[in-house]
Every structure is written in C-alpha cells, then in structure tokens.
Amino acid sequence: ETSVQFDSTLITSDDDLEHETQISLANILSDHARINAFMKHLMDEFCTECLLSLIEFYQFRMFGIQQFNVEIIDASHSDDQLAEILQRFHFTLPADFVHSDIVYSENEYDQADNMDHLRSYKLKAYQLYQKYIVAGAHLEVNVSYHARQQLRAMMGNYSSWINASDNDNGNDNNAHM
C-alpha cells in the first residue's frame, strides 16, 4: 500500500516497514522510471489529472519564462510569500520528457505575419483553464471555490480574456512565474 503527502516526503512504501523508502516530489518528477510509477499509482487511484495538470502548468510556466525573459524568483533574496511557495515546490522534469501539446504547439497568434506572443501565451493559458479548471472539465482538478471564481471572472469570457491588455487583467509588470 502507498500513501501520498505533499510536504518533504512524497511516497512512503508500506510494503516493507523495515526498508521504508522516502522520495521527494522533485526526485520523482525528475526521473522517468519514478514518474511512470507515480503516474501508474495515480491511474490506480483515478486521479491522473493531478499529475497531468502539474506537468502542463509547470511546462507553461517554463515556456513563459523563456518566451518573455522573466527572471525566476529566488526565495533566498525575497520576502515574497509566493517566492517561498515556488521554492518549496520547485522541481525539474527530465529534459526529454513529453511536451504538452497546448504549451508547445503553435496557434493562430504564432503565425509569422501575426506574431503576438502575449495573445499566444494567453490562449495557452485559456486552453489549460478549460482543460483543468472549468467546473465540469474532463480533467477538472480540485481547487478552492474562491480560486475557481477568480479565474472564471478573469478568463470565463474568451474574447474579453484574449483581447484584454495586461493592465486590464489586474496584472502589473512584476509578474511572478
């Protein structure tokens, strides 16, 4: 039997208590064999959307950092609570890990004659929102009511979301990724 936690220990094997093993989330996500075993466990528990959303949101974040040359927050030099959270849950996927179709495929805003990186990124965000956050989504993840309502207010109307300027969405120039 296996238990899952999200503090410093992710998986504890109860099969053999004399040889109990503790593996961090970062170690699991950085190794092909471990991430495959973890995905199998999640499939057995009917909650693959948890890992799939984590992977796609991570790839989305890293894509945005590259696309917009955003400086990654360093918790050791910041009092920012978000920086501390990001540091605590930092991980790296294997370099040759499968890429999200949503994050890495081109869309209408990536065409050579109409390069609009912000709209392209917002479209990817909208597609991830539709896939994981919208109530009733096929791979809906469990998020708080408050968070879901905030995202719905911001992204619920596609046209308003995609056409709004950065300032219209309540963002500032110091966005954290």
Side-chain angles (χ1 to χ4, degrees), residues 108-141:
E108 66 257 30
Y109 299 109
D110 292 320
Q111 304 307 315
D113 60 335
N114 188 24
M115 292 293 282
D116 188 338
H117 296 299
L118 180 59
R119 279 199 174 116
S120 174
Y121 195 68
K122 288 172 75 171
L123 176 57
K124 294 169 192 301
Y126 185 80
Q127 290 170 330
L128 291 171
Y129 165 76
Q130 290 290 314
K131 185 174 182 177
Y132 295 111
I133 306 299
V134 167
H138 179 68
L139 294 172
E140 180 181 352
V141 293

mmCIF file of all heavy atoms in Angstrom, residues 108-141:
data_model
loop_
_atom_site.group_PDB
_atom_site.id
_atom_site.type_symbol
_atom_site.label_atom_id
_atom_site.label_comp_id
_atom_site.label_asym_id
_atom_site.label_seq_id
_atom_site.Cartn_x
_atom_site.Cartn_y
_atom_site.Cartn_z
ATOM 1 N N GLU A 108 -2.901 30.388 -33.698
ATOM 2 C CA GLU A 108 -3.071 31.454 -34.697
ATOM 3 C C GLU A 108 -2.267 32.712 -34.390
ATOM 4 O O GLU A 108 -1.979 33.495 -35.280
ATOM 5 C CB GLU A 108 -4.546 31.808 -34.885
ATOM 6 C CG GLU A 108 -5.196 32.446 -33.672
ATOM 7 C CD GLU A 108 -6.071 31.500 -32.882
ATOM 8 O OE1 GLU A 108 -5.804 30.292 -32.858
ATOM 9 O OE2 GLU A 108 -7.042 31.996 -32.279
ATOM 10 N N TYR A 109 -1.863 32.905 -33.151
ATOM 11 C CA TYR A 109 -1.093 34.098 -32.790
ATOM 12 C C TYR A 109 0.409 33.899 -32.978
ATOM 13 O O TYR A 109 1.185 34.818 -32.795
ATOM 14 C CB TYR A 109 -1.393 34.515 -31.352
ATOM 15 C CG TYR A 109 -2.843 34.856 -31.156
ATOM 16 C CD1 TYR A 109 -3.676 34.016 -30.432
ATOM 17 C CD2 TYR A 109 -3.388 36.010 -31.723
ATOM 18 C CE1 TYR A 109 -5.023 34.322 -30.269
ATOM 19 C CE2 TYR A 109 -4.732 36.317 -31.572
ATOM 20 C CZ TYR A 109 -5.536 35.464 -30.846
ATOM 21 O OH TYR A 109 -6.858 35.767 -30.688
ATOM 22 N N ASP A 110 0.826 32.696 -33.358
ATOM 23 C CA ASP A 110 2.240 32.403 -33.585
ATOM 24 C C ASP A 110 2.629 32.491 -35.057
ATOM 25 O O ASP A 110 3.781 32.283 -35.395
ATOM 26 C CB ASP A 110 2.579 30.985 -33.088
ATOM 27 C CG ASP A 110 2.487 30.873 -31.584
ATOM 28 O OD1 ASP A 110 2.904 31.809 -30.898
ATOM 29 O OD2 ASP A 110 1.988 29.835 -31.111
ATOM 30 N N GLN A 111 1.671 32.759 -35.938
ATOM 31 C CA GLN A 111 1.962 32.815 -37.361
ATOM 32 C C GLN A 111 2.943 33.955 -37.653
ATOM 33 O O GLN A 111 2.916 34.997 -37.018
ATOM 34 C CB GLN A 111 0.678 33.008 -38.164
ATOM 35 C CG GLN A 111 -0.381 31.945 -37.893
ATOM 36 C CD GLN A 111 0.141 30.525 -38.054
ATOM 37 O OE1 GLN A 111 0.833 30.224 -39.010
ATOM 38 N NE2 GLN A 111 -0.189 29.658 -37.106
ATOM 39 N N ALA A 112 3.808 33.741 -38.610
ATOM 40 C CA ALA A 112 4.892 34.680 -38.917
ATOM 41 C C ALA A 112 4.391 36.098 -39.191
ATOM 42 O O ALA A 112 5.024 37.065 -38.797
ATOM 43 C CB ALA A 112 5.694 34.175 -40.112
ATOM 44 N N ASP A 113 3.245 36.232 -39.852
ATOM 45 C CA ASP A 113 2.749 37.567 -40.193
ATOM 46 C C ASP A 113 1.946 38.192 -39.048
ATOM 47 O O ASP A 113 1.523 39.337 -39.134
ATOM 48 C CB ASP A 113 1.900 37.521 -41.467
ATOM 49 C CG ASP A 113 0.693 36.604 -41.341
ATOM 50 O OD1 ASP A 113 0.740 35.675 -40.518
ATOM 51 O OD2 ASP A 113 -0.282 36.831 -42.071
ATOM 52 N N ASN A 114 1.737 37.449 -37.973
ATOM 53 C CA ASN A 114 0.919 37.954 -36.880
ATOM 54 C C ASN A 114 1.500 37.529 -35.522
ATOM 55 O O ASN A 114 0.797 37.009 -34.683
ATOM 56 C CB ASN A 114 -0.516 37.426 -37.031
ATOM 57 C CG ASN A 114 -1.468 38.055 -36.036
ATOM 58 O OD1 ASN A 114 -1.224 39.156 -35.548
ATOM 59 N ND2 ASN A 114 -2.539 37.360 -35.728
ATOM 60 N N MET A 115 2.786 37.748 -35.340
ATOM 61 C CA MET A 115 3.438 37.329 -34.093
ATOM 62 C C MET A 115 2.917 38.178 -32.933
ATOM 63 O O MET A 115 3.155 39.373 -32.861
ATOM 64 C CB MET A 115 4.957 37.470 -34.193
ATOM 65 C CG MET A 115 5.604 36.503 -35.155
ATOM 66 S SD MET A 115 5.479 34.794 -34.611
ATOM 67 C CE MET A 115 6.750 34.773 -33.386
ATOM 68 N N ASP A 116 2.173 37.571 -32.069
ATOM 69 C CA ASP A 116 1.634 38.236 -30.885
ATOM 70 C C ASP A 116 1.860 37.294 -29.710
ATOM 71 O O ASP A 116 1.005 36.467 -29.385
ATOM 72 C CB ASP A 116 0.152 38.546 -31.079
ATOM 73 C CG ASP A 116 -0.425 39.401 -29.966
ATOM 74 O OD1 ASP A 116 0.150 39.425 -28.857
ATOM 75 O OD2 ASP A 116 -1.470 40.029 -30.198
ATOM 76 N N HIS A 117 3.038 37.405 -29.097
ATOM 77 C CA HIS A 117 3.436 36.458 -28.057
ATOM 78 C C HIS A 117 2.515 36.498 -26.838
ATOM 79 O O HIS A 117 2.221 35.460 -26.260
ATOM 80 C CB HIS A 117 4.880 36.701 -27.628
ATOM 81 C CG HIS A 117 5.861 36.453 -28.725
ATOM 82 N ND1 HIS A 117 6.020 35.224 -29.329
ATOM 83 C CD2 HIS A 117 6.738 37.283 -29.329
ATOM 84 C CE1 HIS A 117 6.936 35.302 -30.254
ATOM 85 N NE2 HIS A 117 7.400 36.534 -30.286
ATOM 86 N N LEU A 118 2.045 37.681 -26.452
ATOM 87 C CA LEU A 118 1.173 37.768 -25.288
ATOM 88 C C LEU A 118 -0.155 37.051 -25.549
ATOM 89 O O LEU A 118 -0.609 36.261 -24.732
ATOM 90 C CB LEU A 118 0.920 39.224 -24.879
ATOM 91 C CG LEU A 118 0.004 39.408 -23.662
ATOM 92 C CD1 LEU A 118 0.583 38.707 -22.440
ATOM 93 C CD2 LEU A 118 -0.216 40.886 -23.373
ATOM 94 N N ARG A 119 -0.756 37.300 -26.697
ATOM 95 C CA ARG A 119 -2.025 36.623 -27.008
ATOM 96 C C ARG A 119 -1.821 35.121 -27.163
ATOM 97 O O ARG A 119 -2.673 34.331 -26.748
ATOM 98 C CB ARG A 119 -2.668 37.214 -28.256
ATOM 99 C CG ARG A 119 -3.417 38.486 -27.953
ATOM 100 C CD ARG A 119 -4.417 38.798 -29.045
ATOM 101 N NE ARG A 119 -5.205 39.930 -28.647
ATOM 102 C CZ ARG A 119 -5.210 41.098 -29.284
ATOM 103 N NH1 ARG A 119 -4.477 41.258 -30.364
ATOM 104 N NH2 ARG A 119 -5.952 42.085 -28.860
ATOM 105 N N SER A 120 -0.718 34.719 -27.746
ATOM 106 C CA SER A 120 -0.429 33.301 -27.873
ATOM 107 C C SER A 120 -0.337 32.652 -26.488
ATOM 108 O O SER A 120 -0.901 31.583 -26.250
ATOM 109 C CB SER A 120 0.889 33.095 -28.628
ATOM 110 O OG SER A 120 1.237 31.731 -28.635
ATOM 111 N N TYR A 121 0.354 33.309 -25.585
ATOM 112 C CA TYR A 121 0.507 32.796 -24.222
ATOM 113 C C TYR A 121 -0.837 32.777 -23.495
ATOM 114 O O TYR A 121 -1.162 31.823 -22.798
ATOM 115 C CB TYR A 121 1.533 33.656 -23.476
ATOM 116 C CG TYR A 121 2.051 33.037 -22.207
ATOM 117 C CD1 TYR A 121 2.853 31.898 -22.241
ATOM 118 C CD2 TYR A 121 1.770 33.604 -20.974
ATOM 119 C CE1 TYR A 121 3.340 31.333 -21.078
ATOM 120 C CE2 TYR A 121 2.255 33.036 -19.806
ATOM 121 C CZ TYR A 121 3.045 31.908 -19.863
ATOM 122 O OH TYR A 121 3.523 31.350 -18.704
ATOM 123 N N LYS A 122 -1.641 33.819 -23.701
ATOM 124 C CA LYS A 122 -2.955 33.873 -23.071
ATOM 125 C C LYS A 122 -3.875 32.780 -23.624
ATOM 126 O O LYS A 122 -4.677 32.212 -22.885
ATOM 127 C CB LYS A 122 -3.570 35.262 -23.251
ATOM 128 C CG LYS A 122 -2.885 36.314 -22.392
ATOM 129 C CD LYS A 122 -3.357 37.706 -22.705
ATOM 130 C CE LYS A 122 -4.714 37.956 -22.143
ATOM 131 N NZ LYS A 122 -5.139 39.362 -22.240
ATOM 132 N N LEU A 123 -3.755 32.472 -24.909
ATOM 133 C CA LEU A 123 -4.542 31.390 -25.490
ATOM 134 C C LEU A 123 -4.158 30.055 -24.845
ATOM 135 O O LEU A 123 -5.019 29.256 -24.501
ATOM 136 C CB LEU A 123 -4.363 31.320 -27.009
ATOM 137 C CG LEU A 123 -5.069 30.162 -27.711
ATOM 138 C CD1 LEU A 123 -6.570 30.154 -27.438
ATOM 139 C CD2 LEU A 123 -4.795 30.198 -29.205
ATOM 140 N N LYS A 124 -2.871 29.845 -24.658
ATOM 141 C CA LYS A 124 -2.413 28.622 -23.997
ATOM 142 C C LYS A 124 -2.965 28.555 -22.568
ATOM 143 O O LYS A 124 -3.430 27.508 -22.116
ATOM 144 C CB LYS A 124 -0.889 28.557 -23.996
ATOM 145 C CG LYS A 124 -0.284 28.403 -25.389
ATOM 146 C CD LYS A 124 1.221 28.600 -25.372
ATOM 147 C CE LYS A 124 1.824 28.738 -26.750
ATOM 148 N NZ LYS A 124 1.648 27.663 -27.668
ATOM 149 N N ALA A 125 -2.943 29.684 -21.858
ATOM 150 C CA ALA A 125 -3.492 29.747 -20.501
ATOM 151 C C ALA A 125 -4.977 29.412 -20.523
ATOM 152 O O ALA A 125 -5.467 28.654 -19.679
ATOM 153 C CB ALA A 125 -3.263 31.136 -19.899
ATOM 154 N N TYR A 126 -5.693 29.954 -21.488
ATOM 155 C CA TYR A 126 -7.128 29.702 -21.604
ATOM 156 C C TYR A 126 -7.402 28.216 -21.865
ATOM 157 O O TYR A 126 -8.318 27.633 -21.291
ATOM 158 C CB TYR A 126 -7.728 30.569 -22.711
ATOM 159 C CG TYR A 126 -9.222 30.441 -22.816
ATOM 160 C CD1 TYR A 126 -10.056 31.138 -21.948
ATOM 161 C CD2 TYR A 126 -9.799 29.610 -23.769
ATOM 162 C CE1 TYR A 126 -11.439 31.010 -22.027
ATOM 163 C CE2 TYR A 126 -11.168 29.477 -23.862
ATOM 164 C CZ TYR A 126 -11.991 30.181 -22.983
ATOM 165 O OH TYR A 126 -13.357 30.042 -23.062
ATOM 166 N N GLN A 127 -6.609 27.614 -22.732
ATOM 167 C CA GLN A 127 -6.793 26.195 -23.037
ATOM 168 C C GLN A 127 -6.526 25.327 -21.804
ATOM 169 O O GLN A 127 -7.242 24.349 -21.561
ATOM 170 C CB GLN A 127 -5.889 25.782 -24.203
ATOM 171 C CG GLN A 127 -6.331 26.391 -25.515
ATOM 172 C CD GLN A 127 -5.312 26.196 -26.629
ATOM 173 O OE1 GLN A 127 -4.104 26.117 -26.403
ATOM 174 N NE2 GLN A 127 -5.816 26.122 -27.860
ATOM 175 N N LEU A 128 -5.518 25.678 -21.018
ATOM 176 C CA LEU A 128 -5.248 24.944 -19.777
ATOM 177 C C LEU A 128 -6.374 25.161 -18.771
ATOM 178 O O LEU A 128 -6.789 24.226 -18.074
ATOM 179 C CB LEU A 128 -3.899 25.364 -19.183
ATOM 180 C CG LEU A 128 -2.676 24.926 -19.979
ATOM 181 C CD1 LEU A 128 -1.409 25.580 -19.423
ATOM 182 C CD2 LEU A 128 -2.541 23.410 -20.003
ATOM 183 N N TYR A 129 -6.881 26.382 -18.709
ATOM 184 C CA TYR A 129 -8.029 26.700 -17.847
ATOM 185 C C TYR A 129 -9.230 25.833 -18.226
ATOM 186 O O TYR A 129 -9.883 25.236 -17.368
ATOM 187 C CB TYR A 129 -8.343 28.195 -17.982
ATOM 188 C CG TYR A 129 -9.677 28.631 -17.456
ATOM 189 C CD1 TYR A 129 -9.908 28.765 -16.092
ATOM 190 C CD2 TYR A 129 -10.719 28.943 -18.339
ATOM 191 C CE1 TYR A 129 -11.145 29.186 -15.611
ATOM 192 C CE2 TYR A 129 -11.950 29.369 -17.864
ATOM 193 C CZ TYR A 129 -12.160 29.479 -16.506
ATOM 194 O OH TYR A 129 -13.383 29.898 -16.028
ATOM 195 N N GLN A 130 -9.515 25.731 -19.521
ATOM 196 C CA GLN A 130 -10.629 24.916 -19.996
ATOM 197 C C GLN A 130 -10.415 23.432 -19.706
ATOM 198 O O GLN A 130 -11.365 22.713 -19.402
ATOM 199 C CB GLN A 130 -10.834 25.122 -21.504
ATOM 200 C CG GLN A 130 -11.367 26.474 -21.881
ATOM 201 C CD GLN A 130 -12.809 26.645 -21.461
ATOM 202 O OE1 GLN A 130 -13.645 25.772 -21.664
ATOM 203 N NE2 GLN A 130 -13.112 27.770 -20.846
ATOM 204 N N LYS A 131 -9.194 22.993 -19.778
ATOM 205 C CA LYS A 131 -8.878 21.575 -19.598
ATOM 206 C C LYS A 131 -8.918 21.141 -18.131
ATOM 207 O O LYS A 131 -9.360 20.024 -17.831
ATOM 208 C CB LYS A 131 -7.488 21.296 -20.174
ATOM 209 C CG LYS A 131 -7.078 19.840 -20.169
ATOM 210 C CD LYS A 131 -5.752 19.667 -20.893
ATOM 211 C CE LYS A 131 -5.325 18.213 -20.967
ATOM 212 N NZ LYS A 131 -4.073 18.076 -21.737
ATOM 213 N N TYR A 132 -8.493 22.028 -17.212
ATOM 214 C CA TYR A 132 -8.317 21.610 -15.820
ATOM 215 C C TYR A 132 -9.135 22.380 -14.779
ATOM 216 O O TYR A 132 -9.371 21.870 -13.697
ATOM 217 C CB TYR A 132 -6.839 21.725 -15.416
ATOM 218 C CG TYR A 132 -5.928 20.799 -16.151
ATOM 219 C CD1 TYR A 132 -4.997 21.291 -17.063
ATOM 220 C CD2 TYR A 132 -5.986 19.423 -15.954
ATOM 221 C CE1 TYR A 132 -4.140 20.440 -17.743
ATOM 222 C CE2 TYR A 132 -5.137 18.562 -16.634
ATOM 223 C CZ TYR A 132 -4.214 19.081 -17.523
ATOM 224 O OH TYR A 132 -3.370 18.231 -18.198
ATOM 225 N N ILE A 133 -9.527 23.600 -15.056
ATOM 226 C CA ILE A 133 -10.096 24.452 -14.013
ATOM 227 C C ILE A 133 -11.609 24.618 -14.127
ATOM 228 O O ILE A 133 -12.313 24.637 -13.117
ATOM 229 C CB ILE A 133 -9.427 25.847 -14.005
ATOM 230 C CG1 ILE A 133 -7.900 25.729 -13.904
ATOM 231 C CG2 ILE A 133 -9.987 26.707 -12.883
ATOM 232 C CD1 ILE A 133 -7.387 25.048 -12.659
ATOM 233 N N VAL A 134 -12.133 24.764 -15.331
ATOM 234 C CA VAL A 134 -13.567 24.990 -15.525
ATOM 235 C C VAL A 134 -14.359 23.869 -14.857
ATOM 236 O O VAL A 134 -14.026 22.684 -15.004
ATOM 237 C CB VAL A 134 -13.900 25.062 -17.033
ATOM 238 C CG1 VAL A 134 -15.387 24.979 -17.276
ATOM 239 C CG2 VAL A 134 -13.341 26.326 -17.637
ATOM 240 N N ALA A 135 -15.385 24.256 -14.124
ATOM 241 C CA ALA A 135 -16.245 23.262 -13.472
ATOM 242 C C ALA A 135 -16.803 22.316 -14.526
ATOM 243 O O ALA A 135 -17.335 22.753 -15.550
ATOM 244 C CB ALA A 135 -17.371 23.951 -12.718
ATOM 245 N N GLY A 136 -16.636 21.032 -14.305
ATOM 246 C CA GLY A 136 -17.122 20.027 -15.236
ATOM 247 C C GLY A 136 -16.126 19.631 -16.311
ATOM 248 O O GLY A 136 -16.442 18.786 -17.155
ATOM 249 N N ALA A 137 -14.931 20.214 -16.302
ATOM 250 C CA ALA A 137 -13.912 19.854 -17.285
ATOM 251 C C ALA A 137 -13.591 18.367 -17.174
ATOM 252 O O ALA A 137 -13.643 17.793 -16.082
ATOM 253 C CB ALA A 137 -12.645 20.684 -17.072
ATOM 254 N N HIS A 138 -13.247 17.762 -18.276
ATOM 255 C CA HIS A 138 -12.956 16.327 -18.291
ATOM 256 C C HIS A 138 -11.850 15.966 -17.302
ATOM 257 O O HIS A 138 -11.912 14.934 -16.640
ATOM 258 C CB HIS A 138 -12.576 15.884 -19.708
ATOM 259 C CG HIS A 138 -12.237 14.434 -19.819
ATOM 260 N ND1 HIS A 138 -13.175 13.435 -19.658
ATOM 261 C CD2 HIS A 138 -11.058 13.810 -20.044
ATOM 262 C CE1 HIS A 138 -12.589 12.266 -19.787
ATOM 263 N NE2 HIS A 138 -11.303 12.456 -20.027
ATOM 264 N N LEU A 139 -10.837 16.822 -17.174
ATOM 265 C CA LEU A 139 -9.724 16.585 -16.253
ATOM 266 C C LEU A 139 -9.722 17.629 -15.130
ATOM 267 O O LEU A 139 -8.675 18.090 -14.679
ATOM 268 C CB LEU A 139 -8.391 16.609 -17.004
ATOM 269 C CG LEU A 139 -8.184 15.477 -18.005
ATOM 270 C CD1 LEU A 139 -6.925 15.698 -18.836
ATOM 271 C CD2 LEU A 139 -8.134 14.122 -17.308
ATOM 272 N N GLU A 140 -10.903 17.984 -14.654
ATOM 273 C CA GLU A 140 -11.032 19.019 -13.624
ATOM 274 C C GLU A 140 -10.243 18.653 -12.364
ATOM 275 O O GLU A 140 -10.346 17.545 -11.855
ATOM 276 C CB GLU A 140 -12.504 19.193 -13.252
ATOM 277 C CG GLU A 140 -12.745 20.251 -12.200
ATOM 278 C CD GLU A 140 -14.216 20.381 -11.828
ATOM 279 O OE1 GLU A 140 -15.074 19.760 -12.484
ATOM 280 O OE2 GLU A 140 -14.493 21.110 -10.861
ATOM 281 N N VAL A 141 -9.431 19.607 -11.909
ATOM 282 C CA VAL A 141 -8.685 19.418 -10.670
ATOM 283 C C VAL A 141 -9.409 20.128 -9.537
ATOM 284 O O VAL A 141 -10.192 21.058 -9.755
ATOM 285 C CB VAL A 141 -7.226 19.922 -10.778
ATOM 286 C CG1 VAL A 141 -6.433 19.067 -11.760
ATOM 287 C CG2 VAL A 141 -7.165 21.386 -11.170
#
